């Protein structure tokens, strides 16, 4: 499925850089796969002990140039949770409204009291461990190690042509927003951060974001 819309301008990306980026994605993923499998196994056990339901959660997301794909995550919510309230929260966020009453909080743009999230789910979300299965999406070529986070289809339906520019590159496990923004910035700031990355991206910048992601995961900074 391709979401039908066209950006008013385009972002040109060097084909040689894209080839090098793909090689980095594959080599790095294979190198860290033993650690990912070990930690992932422990997370899977905790999820099964904490609540009923599958270990993995599959969700439709929008990737490069509006193409839909199935993204993998560790399940962090109770099974059959209603997403109506979540959709409303997303709309509020996209309209620039804070989701947390504490305006000085690092979680100003994060719904911290979502009753759908399990006890283990709160921990793996805060540390981004719920994203580990997406290394499989990276190997399949649907995602990259570094890039904009892939939005949900109903989010993209609300995109302006300018917002669409963030879909000019493959979505990533980490990137500018994940390292420097997360729950502290508005939707429009996130869009601008992603577009700036796509204009300036390089292998060295990608390596920088990969390294910076580790302390962010350990500290849980900006996560909820």
């Amino acid at each position: 499925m391709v979401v039908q819309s066209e950006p008013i301008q385009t972002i040109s990306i060097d084909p040689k850089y894209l080839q090098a980026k793909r090689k980095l994605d594959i080599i790095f993923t294979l190198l860290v796969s033993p650690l990912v499998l070990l930690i992932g196994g422990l997370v899977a056990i905790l999820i099964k002990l904490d609540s009923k339901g599958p270990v993995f959660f599959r969700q439709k997301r929008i990737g490069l140039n509006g193409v839909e794909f199935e993204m993998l995550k560790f399940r962090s919510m109770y099974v059959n949770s209603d997403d109506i309230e979540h959709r409303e929260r997303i709309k509020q966020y996209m309209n620039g409204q804070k989701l947390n009453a504490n305006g000085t909080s690092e979680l100003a743009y994060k719904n911290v009291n979502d009753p759908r999230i399990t006890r283990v789910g709160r921990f793996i979300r805060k540390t981004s461990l719920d994203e580990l299965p997406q290394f499989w999406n990276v190997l399949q070529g649907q995602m990259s190690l570094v890039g904009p986070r892939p939005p949900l289809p109903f989010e993209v339906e609300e995109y302006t042509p300018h917002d669409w520019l963030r879909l000019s590159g493959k979505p990533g496990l980490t990137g500018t927003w994940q390292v420097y923004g997360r729950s502290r910035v508005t939707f429009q700031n996130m869009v601008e951060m992603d577009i700036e990355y796509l204009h300036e991206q390089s292998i060295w910048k990608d390596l920088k974001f990969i390294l910076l992601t580790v302390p962010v995961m350990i500290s849980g900074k900006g996560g909820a």
Side-chain angles (χ1 to χ4, degrees):
M1 175 183 177
V2 178
V3 177
Q4 297 299 316
S5 183
E6 291 294 335
I8 56 176
Q9 61 185 104
T10 59
I11 296 178
S12 179
I13 303 177
D14 186 354
K16 291 183 178 179
Y17 161 73
L18 292 178
Q19 292 176 5
K21 185 181 181 72
R22 181 58 183 156
K23 290 179 181 177
L24 174 63
D25 287 344
I26 294 173
I27 293 172
F28 184 87
T29 299
L30 292 177
L31 286 174
V32 301
S33 58
L35 181 61
V36 170
L37 290 172
L38 175 61
I39 297 176
L42 295 174
V43 171
I45 292 172
L46 292 175
I47 291 173
K48 293 300 289 185
L49 292 174
D50 184 52
S51 60
K52 295 181 179 179
V55 169
F56 297 106
F57 177 66
R58 301 173 186 274
Q59 189 176 53
K60 297 296 183 182
R61 293 290 181 120
I62 305 302
L64 178 64
N65 296 326
V67 176
E68 188 179 79
F69 71 99
E70 190 173 71
M71 189 182 77
L72 281 178
K73 299 182 74 173
F74 278 124
R75 180 177 61 83
S76 60
M77 295 185 180
Y78 294 104
V79 176
N80 299 324
S81 295
D82 194 333
D83 71 342
I84 294 178
E85 182 179 349
H86 177 66
R87 285 173 176 254
E88 289 301 316
R89 292 282 186 172
I90 290 295
K91 287 183 180 180
Q92 292 176 24
Y93 173 62
M94 294 180 72
N95 288 329
Q97 299 177 37
K98 292 182 178 180
L99 304 183
N100 188 346
N102 183 359
T104 61
S105 172
E106 290 190 343
L107 305 177
Y109 297 97
K110 189 76 172 182
N111 181 13
V112 297
N113 297 312
D114 193 335
R116 301 174 304 160
I117 303 176
T118 65
R119 290 174 300 175
V120 170
R122 294 187 184 281
F123 171 72
I124 62 176
R125 281 188 169 210
K126 185 176 181 63
T127 56
S128 297
L129 292 176
D130 61 323
E131 313 286 356
L132 287 181
Q134 287 159 41
F135 276 106
W136 176 246
N137 292 114
V138 173
L139 283 178
Q140 288 186 305
Q142 299 162 327
M143 294 179 63
S144 179
L145 292 174
V146 183
R149 286 300 294 164
L152 292 159
F154 72 82
E155 294 178 54
V156 178
E157 291 175 2
E158 304 294 326
Y159 273 16
T160 66
H162 182 71
D163 298 338
W164 251 80
L165 285 174
R166 70 184 299 270
L167 302 179
S168 299
K170 279 186 183 180
L173 279 172
T174 189
T176 312
W177 176 81
Q178 295 89 324
V179 171
Y180 297 121
R182 297 191 81 179
S183 307
R184 302 186 298 275
V185 300
T186 65
F187 169 76
Q188 206 52 53
N189 283 341
M190 178 192 71
V191 170
E192 297 306 323
M193 293 169 83
D194 288 338
I195 292 175
E196 181 180 5
Y197 163 75
L198 292 172
H199 275 300
E200 301 176 354
Q201 60 186 316
S202 68
I203 289 296
W204 294 115
K205 187 179 289 288
D206 288 346
L207 290 172
K208 172 186 174 181
F209 284 131
I210 291 171
L211 291 175
L212 289 176
T213 298
V214 177
V216 172
M217 290 179 65
I218 294 174
S219 67
K221 189 176 182 180

PDB file of all heavy atoms in Angstrom, residues 17-29:
ATOM      1  N   TYR A  17      25.914   7.126  -1.194  1.00  0.00           N
ATOM      2  CA  TYR A  17      25.683   7.158   0.254  1.00  0.00           C
ATOM      3  C   TYR A  17      24.658   6.097   0.645  1.00  0.00           C
ATOM      4  O   TYR A  17      24.826   5.400   1.653  1.00  0.00           O
ATOM      5  CB  TYR A  17      25.187   8.534   0.685  1.00  0.00           C
ATOM      6  CG  TYR A  17      24.498   8.522   2.030  1.00  0.00           C
ATOM      7  CD1 TYR A  17      25.225   8.377   3.208  1.00  0.00           C
ATOM      8  CD2 TYR A  17      23.106   8.629   2.120  1.00  0.00           C
ATOM      9  CE1 TYR A  17      24.586   8.337   4.444  1.00  0.00           C
ATOM     10  CE2 TYR A  17      22.466   8.601   3.347  1.00  0.00           C
ATOM     11  CZ  TYR A  17      23.210   8.447   4.505  1.00  0.00           C
ATOM     12  OH  TYR A  17      22.580   8.404   5.714  1.00  0.00           O
ATOM     13  N   LEU A  18      23.599   5.954  -0.155  1.00  0.00           N
ATOM     14  CA  LEU A  18      22.565   4.964   0.141  1.00  0.00           C
ATOM     15  C   LEU A  18      23.130   3.541   0.111  1.00  0.00           C
ATOM     16  O   LEU A  18      22.744   2.695   0.927  1.00  0.00           O
ATOM     17  CB  LEU A  18      21.409   5.097  -0.854  1.00  0.00           C
ATOM     18  CG  LEU A  18      20.576   6.379  -0.750  1.00  0.00           C
ATOM     19  CD1 LEU A  18      19.503   6.409  -1.830  1.00  0.00           C
ATOM     20  CD2 LEU A  18      19.941   6.499   0.632  1.00  0.00           C
ATOM     21  N   GLN A  19      24.057   3.279  -0.817  1.00  0.00           N
ATOM     22  CA  GLN A  19      24.697   1.958  -0.888  1.00  0.00           C
ATOM     23  C   GLN A  19      25.540   1.707   0.367  1.00  0.00           C
ATOM     24  O   GLN A  19      25.496   0.621   0.952  1.00  0.00           O
ATOM     25  CB  GLN A  19      25.557   1.859  -2.148  1.00  0.00           C
ATOM     26  CG  GLN A  19      24.761   1.848  -3.445  1.00  0.00           C
ATOM     27  CD  GLN A  19      25.653   1.849  -4.673  1.00  0.00           C
ATOM     28  OE1 GLN A  19      26.884   1.765  -4.573  1.00  0.00           O
ATOM     29  NE2 GLN A  19      25.051   1.942  -5.841  1.00  0.00           N
ATOM     30  N   ALA A  20      26.307   2.725   0.759  1.00  0.00           N
ATOM     31  CA  ALA A  20      27.140   2.590   1.960  1.00  0.00           C
ATOM     32  C   ALA A  20      26.266   2.453   3.202  1.00  0.00           C
ATOM     33  O   ALA A  20      26.585   1.675   4.116  1.00  0.00           O
ATOM     34  CB  ALA A  20      28.058   3.807   2.089  1.00  0.00           C
ATOM     35  N   LYS A  21      25.172   3.168   3.245  1.00  0.00           N
ATOM     36  CA  LYS A  21      24.246   3.114   4.379  1.00  0.00           C
ATOM     37  C   LYS A  21      23.647   1.718   4.505  1.00  0.00           C
ATOM     38  O   LYS A  21      23.518   1.194   5.621  1.00  0.00           O
ATOM     39  CB  LYS A  21      23.143   4.154   4.177  1.00  0.00           C
ATOM     40  CG  LYS A  21      22.155   4.296   5.337  1.00  0.00           C
ATOM     41  CD  LYS A  21      21.113   5.347   4.983  1.00  0.00           C
ATOM     42  CE  LYS A  21      20.096   5.568   6.092  1.00  0.00           C
ATOM     43  NZ  LYS A  21      20.676   6.294   7.242  1.00  0.00           N
ATOM     44  N   ARG A  22      23.296   1.103   3.389  1.00  0.00           N
ATOM     45  CA  ARG A  22      22.719  -0.243   3.412  1.00  0.00           C
ATOM     46  C   ARG A  22      23.736  -1.258   3.918  1.00  0.00           C
ATOM     47  O   ARG A  22      23.405  -2.163   4.696  1.00  0.00           O
ATOM     48  CB  ARG A  22      22.231  -0.623   2.009  1.00  0.00           C
ATOM     49  CG  ARG A  22      21.580  -2.014   1.913  1.00  0.00           C
ATOM     50  CD  ARG A  22      20.412  -2.125   2.847  1.00  0.00           C
ATOM     51  NE  ARG A  22      19.817  -3.462   2.817  1.00  0.00           N
ATOM     52  CZ  ARG A  22      19.113  -3.987   3.806  1.00  0.00           C
ATOM     53  NH1 ARG A  22      18.918  -3.285   4.914  1.00  0.00           N
ATOM     54  NH2 ARG A  22      18.592  -5.192   3.686  1.00  0.00           N
ATOM     55  N   LYS A  23      24.990  -1.104   3.502  1.00  0.00           N
ATOM     56  CA  LYS A  23      26.040  -2.006   3.975  1.00  0.00           C
ATOM     57  C   LYS A  23      26.229  -1.854   5.492  1.00  0.00           C
ATOM     58  O   LYS A  23      26.393  -2.840   6.208  1.00  0.00           O
ATOM     59  CB  LYS A  23      27.357  -1.711   3.251  1.00  0.00           C
ATOM     60  CG  LYS A  23      27.348  -2.107   1.778  1.00  0.00           C
ATOM     61  CD  LYS A  23      28.668  -1.763   1.109  1.00  0.00           C
ATOM     62  CE  LYS A  23      28.640  -2.143  -0.365  1.00  0.00           C
ATOM     63  NZ  LYS A  23      29.922  -1.749  -1.050  1.00  0.00           N
ATOM     64  N   LEU A  24      26.196  -0.602   5.973  1.00  0.00           N
ATOM     65  CA  LEU A  24      26.316  -0.348   7.408  1.00  0.00           C
ATOM     66  C   LEU A  24      25.160  -1.001   8.158  1.00  0.00           C
ATOM     67  O   LEU A  24      25.372  -1.617   9.213  1.00  0.00           O
ATOM     68  CB  LEU A  24      26.329   1.163   7.670  1.00  0.00           C
ATOM     69  CG  LEU A  24      26.300   1.596   9.156  1.00  0.00           C
ATOM     70  CD1 LEU A  24      27.559   1.102   9.873  1.00  0.00           C
ATOM     71  CD2 LEU A  24      26.178   3.112   9.255  1.00  0.00           C
ATOM     72  N   ASP A  25      23.948  -0.876   7.625  1.00  0.00           N
ATOM     73  CA  ASP A  25      22.771  -1.483   8.252  1.00  0.00           C
ATOM     74  C   ASP A  25      22.949  -2.987   8.441  1.00  0.00           C
ATOM     75  O   ASP A  25      22.698  -3.534   9.522  1.00  0.00           O
ATOM     76  CB  ASP A  25      21.521  -1.238   7.401  1.00  0.00           C
ATOM     77  CG  ASP A  25      21.032   0.200   7.457  1.00  0.00           C
ATOM     78  OD1 ASP A  25      21.463   0.935   8.362  1.00  0.00           O
ATOM     79  OD2 ASP A  25      20.227   0.578   6.590  1.00  0.00           O
ATOM     80  N   ILE A  26      23.394  -3.657   7.382  1.00  0.00           N
ATOM     81  CA  ILE A  26      23.512  -5.121   7.419  1.00  0.00           C
ATOM     82  C   ILE A  26      24.655  -5.563   8.336  1.00  0.00           C
ATOM     83  O   ILE A  26      24.478  -6.442   9.190  1.00  0.00           O
ATOM     84  CB  ILE A  26      23.728  -5.669   5.988  1.00  0.00           C
ATOM     85  CG1 ILE A  26      22.473  -5.408   5.135  1.00  0.00           C
ATOM     86  CG2 ILE A  26      24.025  -7.165   6.039  1.00  0.00           C
ATOM     87  CD1 ILE A  26      22.650  -5.767   3.670  1.00  0.00           C
ATOM     88  N   ILE A  27      25.828  -4.946   8.167  1.00  0.00           N
ATOM     89  CA  ILE A  27      27.005  -5.355   8.947  1.00  0.00           C
ATOM     90  C   ILE A  27      26.785  -5.105  10.431  1.00  0.00           C
ATOM     91  O   ILE A  27      27.035  -5.980  11.272  1.00  0.00           O
ATOM     92  CB  ILE A  27      28.265  -4.601   8.454  1.00  0.00           C
ATOM     93  CG1 ILE A  27      28.619  -5.050   7.029  1.00  0.00           C
ATOM     94  CG2 ILE A  27      29.444  -4.858   9.396  1.00  0.00           C
ATOM     95  CD1 ILE A  27      29.727  -4.240   6.389  1.00  0.00           C
ATOM     96  N   PHE A  28      26.290  -3.921  10.791  1.00  0.00           N
ATOM     97  CA  PHE A  28      26.076  -3.594  12.202  1.00  0.00           C
ATOM     98  C   PHE A  28      25.021  -4.508  12.820  1.00  0.00           C
ATOM     99  O   PHE A  28      25.199  -5.002  13.944  1.00  0.00           O
ATOM    100  CB  PHE A  28      25.648  -2.133  12.343  1.00  0.00           C
ATOM    101  CG  PHE A  28      25.490  -1.694  13.778  1.00  0.00           C
ATOM    102  CD1 PHE A  28      26.576  -1.211  14.488  1.00  0.00           C
ATOM    103  CD2 PHE A  28      24.259  -1.771  14.420  1.00  0.00           C
ATOM    104  CE1 PHE A  28      26.440  -0.810  15.811  1.00  0.00           C
ATOM    105  CE2 PHE A  28      24.108  -1.381  15.742  1.00  0.00           C
ATOM    106  CZ  PHE A  28      25.207  -0.894  16.439  1.00  0.00           C
ATOM    107  N   THR A  29      23.942  -4.746  12.099  1.00  0.00           N
ATOM    108  CA  THR A  29      22.866  -5.605  12.621  1.00  0.00           C
ATOM    109  C   THR A  29      23.363  -7.020  12.869  1.00  0.00           C
ATOM    110  O   THR A  29      23.044  -7.631  13.909  1.00  0.00           O
ATOM    111  CB  THR A  29      21.677  -5.631  11.646  1.00  0.00           C
ATOM    112  OG1 THR A  29      21.163  -4.300  11.489  1.00  0.00           O
ATOM    113  CG2 THR A  29      20.557  -6.527  12.164  1.00  0.00           C
TER     114      THR A  29
END
